[in-house]
Amino acid sequence: MNKQLMYGTHAIGEAAIQAGCTCYFGYPITPQNELPEYMSRRLTEVPGGVFIQAESELASINMVLGASVAGARAMTSSSSPGISLKQEGISFLAGMELPAVIVNIVRGGPGLGNIAPAQSDYFQATRGGGHGDYRIVVLAPASVQELADMTFAAFDLADEYRVPVMVMGDGMLGQLMEPVVMPVRKKKKLPEKDYILTGAKRRPARLVKSLILDTKAMEDHNWKLMRKYRRIEQNETRWESFLLDDAEMVVIAYGTAARIARGAINRLRREDESIRVGLIRPITLWPFPTDVLKKASQKIKDFFVFEMSAGQMVEDVRLALDGSGTIHFYGRPGGVVPTPAELARSIARHYYQSQRKQKK
Amino acid sequence: MKKVFSRPKSLRKVSMHYCPGCGHSIIHRLIAELLDELKLRDKTICVPPAGCAVLAYYYLDIDMVEAPHGRATAVATGIKRVHPKNLVFSYQGDGDLAAIGTSEALHAANRGEQITVIFVNNAVYGMTGGQMAPTTLAGQKTTTSPFGRDPKIEGPPIRVCELLATLHNTSYLERVAVNSPAHIKKTKNALRKAFEHQKKNTGFSLVEILSPCPTNWRMDPLQSCKWIDEVMVKEFPLGVLKEVKC
Ligand code: SF4
């Protein structure tokens, strides 16, 4: 397909359609309304396309549940407060092992917060979000092209493992206009959907549920889910690194923050050739690239975590490093998007301090 | 000898867990009989509730998916939009439909989703131990209205059929009861009609069934049946509340 200039939210929508998504259910909330608006038009052109502006977030995620158990590729999208409301349904989807794609265009919080770009839903997303022992796959794009690619990939991941998959961006990515090449669906071998409900014709009746009253059976189900999550950790962990070879300090940032971090690192290296800073950018927030950090810590001792939150991913970094290396942190919560120059100043300060300490 | 009575095919050969005198087992049987008679078993998808009837999926031999408490109509909406030719119905209690799931039910009805809701009204939360429900009668004692429901403080019981009758896209609304053979017959007819309406895509259909819950009413089964006739129907009059041309 040709390169086209697209808004982030529209790229998500189009990529979903290209991935075979036929059902969208959602409830308006800023800053992601352009996505349901796009889908409301676009799905009329898709055979079997269903668009419902639901009465609530609760209803939309449960419509996704219904469409998913009926065998369709279904999605919903929202922003932070709305995602909180969807957690009940996400927990059910996880327990019932149903695929679904959920887009969260994160805004500042807690509460109503504001509509500015933020990364303060990291805990909620990477710990499952709702009640019970479960995880969901969380993808963190950093460009419009990646919004498209990851939304597209999310549907395959969801079907492959029968899990909800979240694409987590923010209002800046959503509003950005960048050139995109739309991914094209190829034949991919995915597990047969032998659980879907179509009416029990020439087969025994099927039952999809999350209620397991017997504690032993519930425990078995939990361990089964955990085994699946281990498989996802092994196969699907994604990250990217930048200027890591000679780095003495590595910045860890994802999504929009990773873009800013790249800018800051380029700037620092340009201004002072002796500065050796690189970047590790988690692309999947869950599964988190723990092993990559562990490996990096054999050589590098300084880790600089930058998040547009008061510090959430930094806890995963701490867990991954397990005491090896020093963790520095720069956080901007509340919807503040620092400039690369601001970030560069903070990185430089920590970098020089650390170098001085090492010399002593 | 001619066989005149047997277990419907759509009903599994297991004994039910419901209390003696409970209405759920009767309603399950009626559904199973109808699915057999209308030859719809292999086209049906049911969304059972959270509550006593959650285990309906062990009794009805049809495709089933559980919904979070109150969300059955939203789940059913998703299913029906993907499979418009299937018979899709939810089975919900009064707490499920008229309290936690009011919004989902009301809006599914307003959109005119081509689904059927089987709404079992027994005026209490059964499974959780007999707490006050949105349909608990004025003065009725429950575990959370120990002095009787006070409509001034707790509001009067909600009449779901009447409420939904004001919505343009509802097609068939009837209130029935399962406390006597005659009423059970009417219930079966009402369910048949609702399914027929769904088949013809006339809009949203709902059958409200007044159903005894002897355990939480602290009555024996016979008293419970009598109580429906003598008390409950005064608040919840039986009959067709709305029927569009089919
Ligand atoms: S508690 Fe009430 S509704 Fe539940 S099974 Fe017993 S009688 Fe039926």
Side-chain angles (χ1 to χ4, degrees), chain B residues 18-19 22 24 52 122 126 213-216:
Chain B
Y18 299 116
C19 308
C22 176
H24 281 308
C52 287
N122 57 18
C213 174
T215 304
N216 288 306

Side-chain angles (χ1 to χ4, degrees), chain B residues 16-17 19 24 27 29 66 95-96 114-115 118 126 134 139 151 159 163 174 183 185 187-188 197 217 239-240 242 245:
Chain B
M16 295 187 190
H17 74 288
C19 308
H24 281 308
I27 301 165
R29 188 189 163 93
E66 150 200 298
D96 196 85
Q114 310 291 346
I115 57 174
I118 299 173
R159 294 185 181 137
L163 197 73
E174 179 169 359
H183 280 165
K185 248 183 157 172
T187 300
K188 188 171 172 184
H197 271 271
W217 292 356
V240 178
K242 185 169 174 185
K245 265 215 194 87

Side-chain angles (χ1 to χ4, degrees), chain A residues 15-272:
Chain A
I17 304 268
Q18 294 304 327
C21 170
T22 54
C23 297
Y24 176 96
F25 310 98
Y27 183 84
I29 181 169
T30 311
Q32 58 84 56
N33 294 316
E34 297 78 4
L35 175 52
E37 283 165 6
Y38 185 85
M39 294 308 257
S40 68
R41 262 179 288 120
R42 194 62 179 81
L43 276 166
T44 57
E45 301 159 4
V46 173
V50 176
F51 171 89
I52 297 181
Q53 181 173 321
E55 59 274 22
S56 71
E57 305 292 2
L58 292 169
S60 16
I61 192 73
N62 282 291
M63 289 173 188
V64 169
L65 194 158
S68 173
V69 82
R73 284 194 155 182
M75 74 177 293
T76 183
S77 66
S78 188
S79 177
S80 310
I83 296 292
S84 292
L85 286 168
K86 289 189 201 293
Q87 294 303 337
E88 174 196 60
I90 297 174
S91 168
F92 273 73
L93 286 162
M96 295 165 148
E97 298 191 79
L98 289 177
V101 173
I102 301 133
V103 175
N104 184 4
I105 302 296
V106 184
R107 55 190 255 181
L112 214 44
N114 57 28
I115 58 169
Q119 297 186 322
S120 39
D121 293 358
Y122 180 92
F123 280 153
Q124 187 194 51
T126 57
R127 267 60 183 167
H131 61 283
D133 264 325
Y134 75 94
R135 299 288 175 136
I136 60 171
V137 177
V138 186
L139 304 172
S143 65
V144 176
Q145 181 65 56
E146 284 190 353
L147 282 175
D149 291 343
M150 289 185 198
T151 304
F152 188 85
F155 284 93
D156 281 348
L157 280 170
D159 277 348
E160 170 99 45
Y161 295 98
R162 289 179 60 180
V163 287
V165 177
M166 178 176 282
V167 178
M168 198 154 89
D170 59 51
M172 199 174 94
L173 288 172
Q175 301 291 324
L176 218 57
M177 247 190 145
E178 284 180 335
V180 195
V181 181
M182 265 303 139
V184 185
R185 200 166 175 192
K186 293 185 203 90
K187 270 251 163 312
K188 196 175 167 190
K189 224 181 129 43
L190 287 166
E192 195 206 333
K193 291 193 174 186
D194 55 5
Y195 57 90
I196 60 171
L197 307 188
T198 51
K201 195 168 197 159
R202 286 191 288 275
R203 60 159 171 78
R206 286 172 181 164
L207 167 60
V208 179
K209 66 181 178 107
S210 62
L211 179 81
I212 304 173
L213 288 172
D214 181 79
T215 48
K216 184 68 187 69
M218 186 70 223
E219 188 187 29
D220 288 347
H221 181 61
N222 273 309
W223 290 130
K224 180 187 162 210
L225 291 181
M226 288 305 140
R227 283 193 298 276
K228 175 163 78 173
Y229 299 152
R230 293 297 90 81
R231 261 199 303 132
I232 297 176
E233 282 172 342
Q234 275 160 21
N235 302 337
E236 308 299 342
T237 307
R238 296 180 202 180
W239 77 95
E240 166 184 272
S241 63
F242 175 60
L243 301 180
L244 209 54
D245 289 344
D246 65 343
E248 287 182 11
M249 177 184 264
V250 54
V251 177
I252 302 165
Y254 69 91
T256 295
R259 272 178 93 126
I260 302 168
R262 260 175 193 265
I265 291 167
N266 279 333
R267 174 184 284 258
L268 283 169
R269 286 197 177 240
R270 218 172 32 236
E271 282 170 3
D272 181 348

